Amino acid sequence: MKQLVFSAVLCFAFFSSFAQSKKAIAYRKESEDMRKSVWAWENPKFKVRDIPQKYANASKIIIAHHTELIADSKSSIAFYGLGFGAKFKQDLTEIVREVVKLNDKSAIAEYSELSFTQFEKRSGFYGSDKTSTYIGVRIIKPNGVIKEVNADDIVLTKDAANEKQAKLAIPDLEVGDILDYFFATARNTIDDMSTKQYNLILFADAPVLSYSFHGQLAKKYAIEYRSYNNAPELNVRKNDDGTIVIDVVKNDIPSFETSLWVSVSRQLPFIRMNIAQGFKGIGSESLGISKPGEVIKVTNERMAIEEKARTYSLDYYNGYLIRNAKKEYERLEDLAKQKAKQKGVNYELLSNEEKAAMLYYTFRFDWLLKFSIYRLADKINIGYREYDEGYNLVLFFLFKTAGLNPDVVVCEDRMGYRVSESMNGTDLLALAYIPSIKSFFSVRNIFDVPFTIPVAAEGAQNTSSFSFEHRAKDKPAGVNNLTEIKTGPDVPVSKSSNNSRVEKLRLSITSDQSLVSVKRTCTLKGHNKHAVQEKLLLYEDIMNYEFKEFNESTTFLDEIADEKGSKKYIEEVKNAFAEAKKKQKDAFLKDAKNYFEQEITNMKDFGIDNPGIRHTAPDFIYRSTFEMGGLLKKAGNNIIVEIGKIQGTPFVIKEEQLKRDLDVYMPFARSIEYHVELEIPEGYTAEGIAALNTKVENETGFFTTEATQNGNTVSIKIRKHYLHNFESAKNFEKIVAFVNASAEWANAKLLLKKK
C-alpha cells in the first residue's frame, strides 16, 4: 500500500471541516470540481511517455511532480493585547500532482491502495481551521486509454469525531501502466503569527524526470529560506500587487537512497522555508521577526543559536527569576535532602556527582512518576510518554538552586541540521551540564538515568554553553537578552558495548521432538533499552522499585490506600493495576514473537530481574520461558536444528542498496550477542559443530560465531558489533561484509544424529 505524504511537506497546524455527514454531497461536488480543474492543467511534462534508457530498469519512474501553493491576501485582524495575538484569516490551497510509470510488481503493490486523511477537525487556539482534502486518480494504459478511478468511493479506516482517515483502492493496475494522481487541500485557517515550516523535497526513491513548484503568497507574509545539499535556489519575484511568487524547477533527478542509514537534513536535497506573517512594529528586530513581503535567504550561521538564546532567556526569566518560581526548586532540593536522610545519607556530605543524581531521581519521582487518581490512565501508560527538552531546563534550574553551577549545553542533532545550517532554535538540542563533574543530564522518558547522553547529541562538537544573567539589559525586549553564550564542551560518543543486547538462551528439545524449549534471559544496555522497557515495565513495578530505592517506610499501593479520601477510588486503582499485570504476559509473548520471528507458545516464568532505571544498576534485564517452533526438522531418525534462525530474520542490505555514494549515519554504535546452550537429547550426537564457526572482522564492525561442545551441551556464541555511529561512504563495503556474513549464517544448521 502506498502511504502518500505530500512531497512538499506543509507543517501548518491543519484543522478540518466536514463535521456532519449531510455535507457529504457538498464535498463530492467540490471534489468533482477540483478534479476537473486539475485534469485540465496544460503542462506538457505530464504528457511525457518516453522514459530515458538509463531508467529502463527502475521499478518506478516519476515522470512529473508539480506542486501549487496559493495563499491569498485577504485578512481580518482582531488585536489581542499589543497585537502579538492578531488573528488573520488565511485561505490556503495546495495541490500536489504526480505522474508515475509502474515498471514491476513491486511498484504495482506499492500503489494498489492510496491512503490519506480525508477530513480532520479540531479546535484552534483563537478559532477553528477548516480543511477539505480531495483526491483524483487516473490510470493510463500503454495503449493510451485513460481510466479514471472513482475517488469518491472512499473506505473509511477511522471514523472518529475529530478525524476521518480513509483509503482508496486502485484496481486493475498492471506492469507498464502510468498512474496520474493528485491530492488537493483547501484550507480556511485562522492562525497567529507563529512560523510554519514548508519543505520542498527534491529527492525520492525513484528517478524524477521533472519536478516543479509554484507558489503565490500574499504580501503580508514573510519568508526565510535555505537550500540544502545542492538543492537549487528559489526563483522569487513579486506581482504588481505585492504578491510573492516563487518557482522551483529541477529536471532529471536520479533516485536517492532514502531509508538506509541516511541523514535527510545533511545528505539529501531540499529547500526549507519558514513562512510567517510579517511584523514591523517596535521590537521586531530584537525578536527576530521579518517584515511583511520580505523573502530572505538565510546565511546567518548563528541564527538558531540566537533564537535559542532568546527563548531560554524568557524561560529563565519567567520560570526561575519571577513569581516565586525558584521556591519550587528549593522545595525539590529539600525533598532530595529528605530522601537522602531516609537512605541514611547526609546530603550535605555528598559529592557534586552524588548530589546531582539524588536531585535527578527526586525530580523524576516527584514531577513525573508521582501518582494521581485524576491521571490514572496516563500513569498506567507512562512508559510510552516522551518529554520535551523543557525538562532539561528544569534540571538546570534545580542544579542551579542546589549550587552545582550548571550550564545549558546547546548542540546540533547528529541526524538533523548542522548548527551552521539551522534556521530555528528548535532545530538544536539542549542538555543540562555540570562543568565541575563534566556530566550531561537529560529527561526524555521515565527510564532515563543521570549521566547519560541522548543518542541524537552523541559526538556533537562546536557546542555552545548558556549561562544566564540576573538582570534584563536596558534595551527593547530586554528579557530576551539574559543569555551569555560561551564555547561548550564536546559531547562523547558511546561504544558498541555500551549499547548491547545479550540474549542468553538455554535450549532443549521437547519430548515429541517438534519444538524447542527456551529459557531466556535478555540484557539490554544503553540506547537499546527504552523500546523494550516501555512495553514490558509496569508503572506499579517502577514505583515499588523507587519506593525501595528511597527506603520508603511503606509500599506504593499502601501509601495510596493511606491517602485521605482514597477509599472511594482504591479499588479502581487496584483493578487498573491488576489489568495491566494481565496484559504484561501478552507483552512478553509479543516481544518474543517479534524478536525471534518464530511461533512462540507456553509463555511462563516471565518477569523483570532489573528495571534499568538507576545509573547504579543501569542494565534492563528480563527473563521468560517458552517453547519455540520453526527450528527443528526431522530427517529420518535424525534431527536437523536450524540454529541460524535463532537470530530471527537478520538484517539484509538489498541489492539495489549496495552501490552507495552517501556517508553512513547509523543510529548509534551497537552490538547484538547470543549466548546459546543447546542440550543434546539422550541417544543423539551432534555433528557439524565446526562448520558453525565463522569470523568476519574489519574496522567498521564484525560478525563472529564460536561453537564448542562440552559433554551433552553445544555452546554457541554469536556476536555482531557495529563499532561506530558514522562511517564514510568508502567504508560501506566493509559494513556489507559483516552484515552479509550474519545474513548467511541464518542458514546454519546442526545435525543431531541418532546413535
Side-chain angles (χ1 to χ4, degrees):
M1 184 183 84
K2 180 66 174 177
Q3 182 72 32
L4 289 171
V5 180
F6 290 159
S7 292
V9 180
L10 185 58
C11 298
F12 286 69
F14 295 143
F15 309 101
S16 76
S17 64
F18 209 82
Q20 302 169 5
S21 59
K22 67 181 182 180
K23 293 187 177 180
I25 295 175
Y27 167 77
R28 291 179 185 273
K29 178 64 168 61
E30 294 167 2
S31 181
E32 181 182 353
D33 291 343
M34 181 66 74
R35 285 195 290 274
K36 288 180 180 179
S37 174
V38 174
W39 296 144
W41 284 0
E42 288 296 330
N43 186 335
K45 298 294 185 180
F46 290 120
K47 298 179 181 179
V48 170
R49 297 295 177 261
D50 294 330
I51 305 300
Q53 183 60 35
K54 61 182 177 180
Y55 298 138
N57 295 326
S59 173
K60 60 185 178 184
I61 301 97
I62 299 173
I63 294 173
H65 175 106
H66 180 74
T67 298
E68 290 276 336
L69 177 66
I70 309 297
D72 78 1
S73 60
K74 298 177 182 178
S75 67
S76 58
I77 303 174
F79 287 96
Y80 296 86
L82 296 176
F84 290 100
K87 65 178 184 179
F88 293 77
K89 181 179 178 182
Q90 300 178 2
D91 292 322
L92 179 69
T93 302
E94 182 189 43
I95 305 173
V96 181
R97 182 178 174 185
E98 196 165 83
V99 178
V100 187
K101 174 75 178 295
L102 309 178
N103 270 358
D104 59 23
K105 291 182 179 180
S106 175
I108 296 297
E110 183 179 357
Y111 285 89
S112 62
E113 186 176 274
L114 305 181
S115 70
F116 64 104
T117 300
Q118 183 192 23
F119 309 110
E120 194 178 60
K121 178 188 175 183
R122 51 184 174 175
S123 62
F125 187 67
Y126 291 127
S128 63
D129 290 359
K130 296 182 178 180
T131 303
S132 294
T133 302
Y134 311 94
I135 186 173
V137 182
R138 303 193 303 186
I139 302 170
I140 304 172
K141 293 295 182 178
N143 61 4
V145 173
I146 298 176
K147 296 182 177 181
E148 183 162 358
V149 178
N150 188 349
D152 291 332
D153 290 340
I154 295 168
V155 177
L156 288 177
T157 57
K158 183 176 182 179
D159 194 8
N162 66 336
E163 183 180 27
K164 295 183 183 294
Q165 294 181 355
K167 63 181 181 180
L168 177 66
I170 311 299
D172 302 324
L173 277 181
E174 298 175 311
V175 172
D177 285 351
I178 291 174
L179 192 67
D180 184 355
Y181 69 90
F182 74 86
F183 274 91
T185 308
R187 299 177 178 86
N188 182 358
T189 66
I190 297 173
D191 199 10
D192 59 8
M193 294 183 66
S194 62
T195 299
K196 300 93 180 171
Q197 181 176 321
Y198 193 104
N199 291 340
L200 304 182
I201 306 300
L202 289 103
F203 61 85
D205 60 353
V208 181
L209 302 188
S210 171
Y211 173 93
S212 56
F213 169 86
H214 178 76
Q216 291 186 200
L217 292 91
K219 61 183 179 181
K220 66 185 177 184
Y221 291 101
I223 301 170
E224 295 173 339
Y225 81 94
R226 187 190 287 271
S227 296
Y228 290 84
N229 309 312
N230 298 316
E233 300 296 325
L234 297 181
N235 184 350
V236 181
R237 58 186 172 85
K238 291 186 179 180
N239 289 341
D240 293 340
D241 63 357
T243 297
I244 302 167
V245 180
I246 300 173
D247 287 288
V248 175
V249 176
K250 180 76 172 177
N251 296 320
D252 196 14
I253 304 173
S255 62
F256 284 83
E257 173 56 59
T258 61
S259 59
L260 179 63
W261 302 327
V262 171
S263 167
V264 172
S265 299
R266 300 180 179 216
Q267 295 182 294
L268 302 182
F270 65 99
I271 303 170
R272 179 183 181 188
M273 292 189 287
N274 284 345
I275 303 174
Q277 295 177 43
F279 175 68
K280 57 181 179 181
I282 296 175
S284 60
E285 183 176 349
S286 63
L287 292 171
I289 300 175
S290 299
K291 298 176 182 178
E294 286 187 329
V295 180
I296 301 172
K297 178 182 177 181
V298 175
T299 58
N300 180 6
E301 296 185 354
R302 303 287 293 173
M303 181 176 182
I305 288 287
E306 292 166 359
E307 180 183 315
K308 197 84 163 180
R310 288 193 297 269
T311 299
Y312 274 20
S313 290
L314 282 170
D315 290 341
Y316 178 71
Y317 183 78
N318 292 320
Y320 189 76
L321 287 185
I322 65 171
R323 300 176 185 172
N324 296 319
K326 188 177 179 181
K327 288 185 177 180
E328 171 60 15
Y329 303 107
E330 292 171 344
R331 182 192 70 82
L332 280 175
E333 185 186 17
D334 289 341
L335 184 59
K337 293 176 181 179
Q338 176 188 326
K339 298 291 186 185
K341 186 176 181 180
Q342 288 174 193
K343 293 172 64 69
V345 175
N346 186 336
Y347 175 87
E348 303 300 337
L349 298 180
L350 295 178
S351 66
N352 282 353
E353 183 174 318
E354 291 168 328
K355 284 182 179 178
M358 182 61 70
L359 291 165
Y360 185 102
Y361 293 129
T362 301
F363 154 76
R364 184 177 69 181
F365 185 84
D366 190 68
W367 272 40
L368 307 183
L369 289 172
K370 192 173 183 178
F371 178 77
S372 169
I373 185 59
Y374 304 107
R375 299 178 59 197
L376 179 58
D378 289 341
K379 293 302 180 182
I380 293 292
N381 298 297
I382 196 170
Y384 291 96
R385 182 168 180 181
E386 295 289 330
Y387 300 106
D388 62 42
E389 68 176 28
Y391 284 105
N392 297 345
L393 193 60
V394 169
L395 287 176
F396 167 83
F397 294 154
L398 181 56
F399 294 156
K400 187 175 181 67
T401 301
L404 297 180
N405 300 317
D407 287 337
V408 173
V409 170
V410 176
C411 64
E412 61 191 24
D413 183 331
R414 63 174 300 272
M415 299 293 283
Y417 300 101
R418 298 177 179 88
V419 172
S420 60
E421 296 178 336
S422 298
M423 293 177 63
N424 301 330
T426 52
D427 294 340
L428 305 178
L429 307 176
L431 312 174
Y433 179 70
I434 300 179
S436 64
I437 57 176
K438 297 181 179 180
S439 295
F440 296 87
F441 301 82
S442 70
V443 181
R444 298 154 299 170
N445 53 71
I446 59 166
F447 309 115
D448 273 344
V449 299
F451 317 115
T452 58
I453 297 167
V455 64
E458 283 198 352
Q461 299 178 338
N462 302 317
T463 69
S464 297
S465 282
F466 287 4
S467 57
F468 301 93
E469 301 175 14
H470 287 270
R471 293 182 181 177
K473 295 179 180 178
D474 296 328
K475 59 171 62 178
V479 294
N480 291 284
N481 297 281
L482 300 177
T483 306
E484 180 183 349
I485 304 175
K486 302 172 294 184
T487 300
D490 290 344
V491 183
V493 181
S494 59
K495 299 178 181 179
S496 60
S497 57
N498 300 137
N499 306 305
S500 64
R501 181 185 193 113
V502 178
E503 294 277 357
K504 292 185 178 180
L505 305 170
R506 178 72 181 179
L507 310 181
S508 60
I509 296 174
T510 58
S511 57
D512 63 358
Q513 299 182 347
S514 63
L515 301 172
V516 174
S517 294
V518 182
K519 290 185 177 180
R520 177 195 191 194
T521 300
C522 180
T523 301
L524 301 176
K525 295 185 177 183
H527 301 312
N528 269 327
K529 295 190 300 181
H530 175 217
V532 183
Q533 284 174 310
E534 68 181 13
K535 296 178 177 66
L536 301 185
L537 268 176
L538 302 181
Y539 171 66
E540 181 184 9
D541 293 340
I542 293 170
M543 290 299 286
N544 283 331
Y545 182 85
E546 288 295 277
F547 265 58
K548 184 177 179 180
E549 285 294 312
F550 281 128
N551 202 22
E552 300 287 348
S553 59
T554 184
T555 66
F556 169 49
L557 197 56
D558 287 342
E559 181 178 88
I560 296 175
D562 290 340
E563 290 181 359
K564 185 177 180 180
S566 65
K567 289 184 179 180
K568 59 184 178 182
Y569 62 73
I570 188 62
E571 288 304 315
E572 178 186 356
V573 173
K574 289 181 178 179
N575 291 337
F577 288 171
E579 183 64 24
K581 199 74 173 178
K582 289 179 183 178
K583 293 179 179 178
Q584 190 181 39
K585 180 177 181 179
D586 293 335
F588 269 81
L589 181 62
K590 187 175 181 179
D591 173 76
K593 284 183 175 181
N594 289 346
Y595 190 74
F596 295 106
E597 297 181 297
Q598 303 293 344
E599 183 61 29
I600 305 295
T601 56
N602 197 22
M603 172 66 67
K604 59 184 178 180
D605 299 331
F606 58 90
I608 308 295
D609 290 340
N610 188 67
I613 56 175
R614 289 273 176 154
H615 72 287
T616 50
D619 298 348
F620 177 51
I621 306 172
Y622 64 101
R623 57 179 160 74
S624 58
T625 300
F626 50 84
E627 292 176 345
M628 181 188 300
L631 299 189
L632 303 180
K633 287 184 178 180
K634 295 298 293 288
N637 292 326
N638 303 323
I639 303 172
I640 297 174
V641 182
E642 297 186 273
I643 196 64
K645 291 183 178 180
I646 201 66
Q647 56 178 341
T649 302
F651 172 68
V652 175
I653 298 175
K654 300 175 184 177
E655 183 177 353
E656 60 267 25
Q657 296 173 322
L658 293 176
K659 184 179 180 181
R660 186 180 180 107
D661 299 320
L662 298 175
D663 290 336
V664 177
Y665 281 82
M666 297 271 186
F668 47 88
R670 60 207 183 279
S671 60
I672 307 169
E673 298 191 4
Y674 302 84
H675 300 174
V676 180
E677 292 187 352
L678 172 64
E679 181 181 342
I680 302 172
E682 186 176 351
Y684 287 83
T685 59
E687 294 186 1
I689 295 175
L692 298 178
N693 294 311
T694 187
K695 183 177 182 179
V696 177
E697 187 173 6
N698 56 57
E699 66 263 39
T700 67
F702 59 84
F703 176 77
T704 65
T705 58
E706 301 173 21
T708 59
Q709 181 176 350
N710 184 10
N712 70 334
T713 300
V714 175
S715 298
I716 308 169
K717 190 172 185 179
I718 308 164
R719 303 170 68 216
K720 180 162 69 172
H721 283 236
Y722 297 84
L723 294 179
H724 311 113
N725 65 3
F726 175 86
E727 298 286 355
S728 64
K730 68 180 182 180
N731 279 340
F732 183 65
E733 290 184 359
K734 296 176 181 178
I735 300 172
V736 172
F738 75 82
V739 169
N740 281 353
S742 173
E744 291 169 6
W745 201 84
N747 299 314
K749 297 176 177 62
L750 183 67
L751 177 65
L752 299 181
K753 190 172 183 179
K754 185 72 173 178
K755 291 182 181 178

